Amino acid sequence: MKLSNTFSSKDLISELVQDGIKVKENKTNIGKNSYIYRFNLANKHFLLKIYKGTTERVNFSREREFSSYQFLGISGYEQIPKIYPELSPNDGICIEYIDGFSPKLNTQSLDAILRMMKNFKEIYKRNSSFSLAVDSCFSTEDLLAQVQKRLNSLTKFPVDYFERALSCYSHLGNNQSCTYAEESFTYSLSDIGTHNIVKSVDKYFFLDL
């Protein structure tokens, strides 16, 4: 299933406001790639994620994340929010708002992440047909290239920091270069960390697919 809604997030927010529904921007969770809004409708709580960037990037990110929610749902993974295609604008997605909090990095949250990773590994074993991640890695060379790209994009560290870091990674690549075995392949979240986890009662829900 692909999203085909033609209305924009601006249209959606405008219509909600005209109907007397409060739409609140979540300024604490604004990332470099998206804006986050919350609203209540028909006694349900929703979260609206609006992607930033070029039209091409927005379309890709939107379709990619929607497909991820759909695929994991079909695969029986329940610790993600429900997605609402009918409320998802052409520049974002609308998902269920999970009432909870971002947990601290501790034994419990790490155990939750490990369980998620084991579940994703089992899903991959059953069905490996989902398309590759943008940052997928199949060798140490792939990993080193990504690390170098990210280091080069940073601007707040001294030049000698980059030189030392790149030297360490180059040393790793020169001495332990390998291609990863296919049996080690798995699915993963876009950005794993407690900042993308919501703990609600005794369950951990994962965001940013």
Side-chain angles (χ1 to χ4, degrees), residues 31-84:
K32 65 177 182 179
N33 297 317
S34 62
Y35 300 99
I36 302 296
Y37 292 84
R38 288 171 50 190
F39 64 92
N40 298 337
L41 180 64
N43 296 319
K44 291 183 179 180
H45 304 283
F46 299 91
L47 186 147
L48 177 63
K49 181 176 184 178
I50 305 171
Y51 299 104
K52 299 179 183 179
T54 63
T55 300
E56 182 180 7
R57 179 180 177 83
V58 167
N59 290 339
F60 176 83
S61 299
R62 175 178 181 263
E63 192 63 45
R64 180 76 186 185
E65 190 158 18
F66 173 79
S67 298
S68 299
Y69 273 104
Q70 185 185 48
F71 177 79
L72 289 174
I74 293 173
S75 299
Y77 190 72
E78 298 179 347
Q79 287 176 262
I80 54 174
K82 179 180 178 181
I83 191 164
Y84 294 91

Side-chain angles (χ1 to χ4, degrees), residues 14 25 28 31 43 45-47 49 67 73 77-78 85 100 114 130 142 154 176 206:
S14 177
E25 184 177 4
T28 59
N43 296 319
H45 304 283
F46 299 91
L47 186 147
K49 181 176 184 178
S67 298
Y77 190 72
E78 298 179 347
L114 289 174
F130 197 70
D142 291 342
L154 298 175
Q176 300 183 31
F206 293 88

Side-chain angles (χ1 to χ4, degrees), residues 78-113:
E78 298 179 347
Q79 287 176 262
I80 54 174
K82 179 180 178 181
I83 191 164
Y84 294 91
E86 69 277 9
L87 288 173
S88 295
N90 60 16
D91 55 351
I93 58 171
C94 186
I95 61 175
E96 170 190 15
Y97 173 75
I98 304 294
D99 190 14
F101 60 93
S102 294
K104 294 181 179 180
L105 183 60
N106 53 31
T107 302
Q108 290 74 28
S109 60
L110 286 175
D111 284 345
I113 291 173

Side-chain angles (χ1 to χ4, degrees), residues 7 112 158 171 194 208:
F7 60 86
H171 178 76
T194 54
D208 202 0

Side-chain angles (χ1 to χ4, degrees), residues 181-197:
E182 187 172 350
E183 56 265 26
S184 69
F185 294 175
T186 185
Y187 292 122
S188 176
L189 297 179
S190 173
D191 184 7
I192 300 176
T194 54
H195 62 293
N196 280 326
I197 299 176

